[in-house]
Amino acid sequence: MKDYELEKRRYVIGGVAIIIVVVFIIRLFTLQIMSDDYKRNADSNAFLKKVEFPSRGNISDRNGKLLVYNQPSYDIMVVVNEARSRIDTTELCNTLNITKDYFIRRMRDIQDRSKNPGYSRFTQQLFMTQLSDQEFSVFQEKAYRFPGFYIQKRSIRQYEYPNAALLLGDVAEASPEDIKRDGYYQPGDYIGKQGIERSYEEELRGTKGVQVLLRDAHGRIQGNYQNGEFDTQPIPGKDLTLSIDIELQRLGERLMEGKLGSIVAIEPKTGEVLCLVSSPSYDPRLMIGRQRGKHHAELARDPLKPLLNRAIMGMYPPGSTFKTSQALTFLSEGIIDQDTKYPCHRGFVFSGMRVGCHGHGSPLNLVPAIGTSCNGYFCWGLYHMLTNKKYGSLHNAVNTWRDYMVSMGFGYKLGIDLPGEKRGMIPNGDFYDNAFKNGWSALGVISIAIGQGEVTLTPLQIANLGATIANRGFFYTPHVVKSVGGEPLDATFTTPRYTKVPPEAYKLVVEGMRRAVTGGTCRRANRSDYAVCGKTGTAQNRGRDHSAFMGFAPMEDPQIAVAVYVENGGFGAVYGVPIGALMMEQFIKGKLSASSEAQASAIQKRHISYGKTDR
């Protein structure tokens, strides 16, 4: 007779054994197939994958002068799994000249995945950056005492000149946001943060390589695995040639010492930016080394905002430099012709409205109106355009005006190859409808005719206006890079952009700008050896007026268009004209004459008091 109790017991025991086997199989499958923890652990014991960083591309000016290059630097990397409880932390801290608190805090931050999302205890993590040669030598002598800590050779940027900081930008450690955005970067990698370094980061950075090193059971490096068969070589970044003339840039920064504002110069035939001055600025060498963070914080607290690139971010009323764009619009729309005259009774006076002007002959036609910078003339022109019945409504007339402004490069970003460009402000009909709920009139917005009111432009846009007039109706998207690794530029920067204005209208405006130099508001820019065309701007402000100038030279074969904007500098002829004239001379002649150098030194020494108000 069967023993059913024994039979059941056998099934139970067999079932338990099967369950145990299945659990072991699942666990082994999980560990060996689904999880790479043990594989990584085993690999890390046998191999050290050492990243080989490429050299970053050098940066030169248009004449081949080296501006930015690399010099060796050294980082300390740590593999946490190897370093635990195996080192004398006191000796390590003394060797690296750091405190025990810093060591503890740094190791904690490395292992904090919220701060270091790519953390693995089996891979190298950045512990300390940018050791000097002396610090490197001290550590290298004792490196064998600190298992898990390795030297990683890197390079840091060096700057040949203390100029063009905001244009060139800087390089710093990649942030967690940078790492999330681009899988190329790992914690401790460097990335361009501002300027050219940021906008051309992918071209400059190159491609990393990897060296696979073999270790023995004690973690000592035995050499390259398989004689380097699995190593990959780093690919250097591409060199950049800028359109900037560093000597012109240096002169511009000299002339703007002690002043707030900007100078922008463009080569009209190509759209290449010859200089991009923003004042105040700083020495780019402050942004290298372990003191970068400290220096950046100090600059950020400065009330004069040296980190603000006023050339592309400063949005200013363009003042009378804007009158040239109005003349072009009125001519194109048939509101005026070369013989149209308007009165100026020391300004525009009509129906209780008065916009003041300085004394000059009256009435005037267009060319002398530009030459004398007559406010009355351009206010009358805009009034007659906005009230013209052919547009059907004031709203439509303003939008037509706006379309001309946009075609000249205003109201939107021009697209320069630098980060942070602002668009400025060109109002349209909808803007005024929203701003004035109870209705608005042509007289209520008349100040936009003279570059005031709601209109704002960047210095780059003002310089581009000069380049467009120099070209008689077209411009190229301004750019600061001339070539990347010797390769041609993208078509974005080599395709001309035409305005809505017919070329014949530009002839009269050029005549007016020439008249301003020979006998008008820009007389201080006149020369006998080449013909300068210019237009002053005195932009009204809550405090002292801003001093502006826009011009180009030579008149018939333009080589340079320049805009100068000096905050609170007074009349355009005070700072704008002489600075603009000196910049033209430097570029066209290659150097300043003795008398011009004396004038430059005098301007350099003239500082404007801005107080301590946050601007």
Side-chain angles (χ1 to χ4, degrees), residues 429-557:
D430 290 340
F431 173 87
Y432 286 124
D433 287 342
N434 292 327
F436 303 103
K437 300 293 185 182
N438 296 323
W440 52 287
S441 67
L443 288 178
V445 302
I446 202 69
S447 61
I448 62 176
I450 56 173
Q452 298 287 165
E454 294 74 30
V455 171
T456 60
L457 306 181
T458 65
L460 176 68
Q461 290 171 326
I462 299 174
N464 192 65
L465 172 62
T468 305
I469 298 172
N471 288 334
R472 278 58 166 182
F474 67 92
F475 65 90
Y476 295 92
T477 299
H479 50 282
V480 297
V481 170
K482 190 177 178 71
S483 68
V484 180
E487 299 172 1
L489 290 176
D490 186 274
T492 302
F493 302 114
T494 57
T495 304
R497 296 164 61 178
Y498 289 87
T499 72
K500 287 171 59 67
V501 178
E504 54 269 22
Y506 284 92
K507 180 176 181 293
L508 287 173
V509 171
V510 170
E511 283 185 36
M513 292 177 67
R514 180 62 183 152
R515 178 77 65 91
V517 174
T518 57
T521 56
C522 300
R523 285 188 295 271
R524 294 181 67 182
N526 199 19
R527 296 180 62 96
S528 59
D529 48 351
Y530 54 84
V532 176
C533 297
K535 183 71 196 75
T536 53
T538 304
Q540 294 178 5
N541 179 48
R542 286 173 296 179
R544 193 181 181 202
D545 293 342
H546 302 315
S547 177
F549 170 79
M550 178 271 291
F552 62 89
M555 182 173 73
E556 297 303 335
D557 183 25

Side-chain angles (χ1 to χ4, degrees), residues 69-74 133 153-158 288:
Y69 57 96
N70 304 301
Q71 79 168 21
S73 177
Y74 306 91
D133 288 340
K153 186 176 180 181
R154 300 286 289 268
S155 62
I156 57 174
R157 293 307 235 176
Q158 283 296 321
I288 59 178

Side-chain angles (χ1 to χ4, degrees), residues 388-462:
N388 195 301
K389 293 182 179 179
K390 73 176 182 177
Y391 300 111
S393 69
L394 177 58
H395 186 282
N396 291 341
V398 166
N399 282 349
T400 300
W401 172 87
R402 184 275 317 273
D403 290 344
Y404 277 95
M405 299 304 102
V406 170
S407 79
M408 295 182 206
F410 310 143
Y412 293 90
K413 297 177 183 179
L414 281 167
I416 190 172
D417 50 347
L418 285 172
E421 182 191 2
K422 300 298 184 184
R423 60 184 288 177
M425 172 63 181
I426 295 294
N428 59 14
D430 290 340
F431 173 87
Y432 286 124
D433 287 342
N434 292 327
F436 303 103
K437 300 293 185 182
N438 296 323
W440 52 287
S441 67
L443 288 178
V445 302
I446 202 69
S447 61
I448 62 176
I450 56 173
Q452 298 287 165
E454 294 74 30
V455 171
T456 60
L457 306 181
T458 65
L460 176 68
Q461 290 171 326
I462 299 174

Side-chain angles (χ1 to χ4, degrees), residues 12-71:
V12 169
I13 293 170
V16 170
I18 291 171
I19 290 171
I20 291 172
V21 170
V22 170
V23 168
F24 270 106
I25 291 172
I26 292 172
R27 181 60 178 153
L28 285 170
F29 178 80
T30 303
L31 289 175
Q32 295 184 26
I33 306 300
M34 302 299 291
S35 172
D36 62 353
D37 282 357
Y38 281 84
K39 182 180 183 300
R40 284 192 301 170
N41 198 355
D43 285 349
S44 69
N45 288 332
F47 305 114
L48 174 65
K49 293 182 179 179
K50 186 177 181 182
V51 175
E52 296 286 304
F53 289 94
S55 59
R56 199 169 175 87
N58 295 326
I59 302 176
S60 304
D61 87 335
R62 67 187 296 111
N63 298 311
K65 293 183 178 179
L66 189 61
L67 305 180
V68 187
Y69 57 96
N70 304 301
Q71 79 168 21

Side-chain angles (χ1 to χ4, degrees), residues 144-212:
Y144 69 94
R145 300 182 187 180
F146 311 123
F149 285 83
Y150 300 91
I151 293 170
Q152 174 72 66
K153 186 176 180 181
R154 300 286 289 268
S155 62
I156 57 174
R157 293 307 235 176
Q158 283 296 321
Y159 300 88
E160 188 68 21
Y161 300 90
N163 306 100
L166 292 168
L167 185 154
L168 295 172
D170 61 288
V171 175
E173 189 175 340
S175 67
E177 291 74 22
D178 295 325
I179 295 168
K180 286 180 182 178
R181 187 169 55 248
D182 190 335
Y184 174 88
Y185 301 99
Q186 298 296 322
D189 285 359
Y190 299 153
I191 187 172
K193 289 292 185 180
Q194 298 294 336
I196 287 297
E197 296 280 14
R198 176 177 168 184
S199 53
Y200 285 85
E201 166 66 14
E202 291 188 12
E203 291 82 359
L204 286 166
R205 73 189 183 189
T207 304
K208 298 174 189 171
V210 177
Q211 190 178 13
V212 184

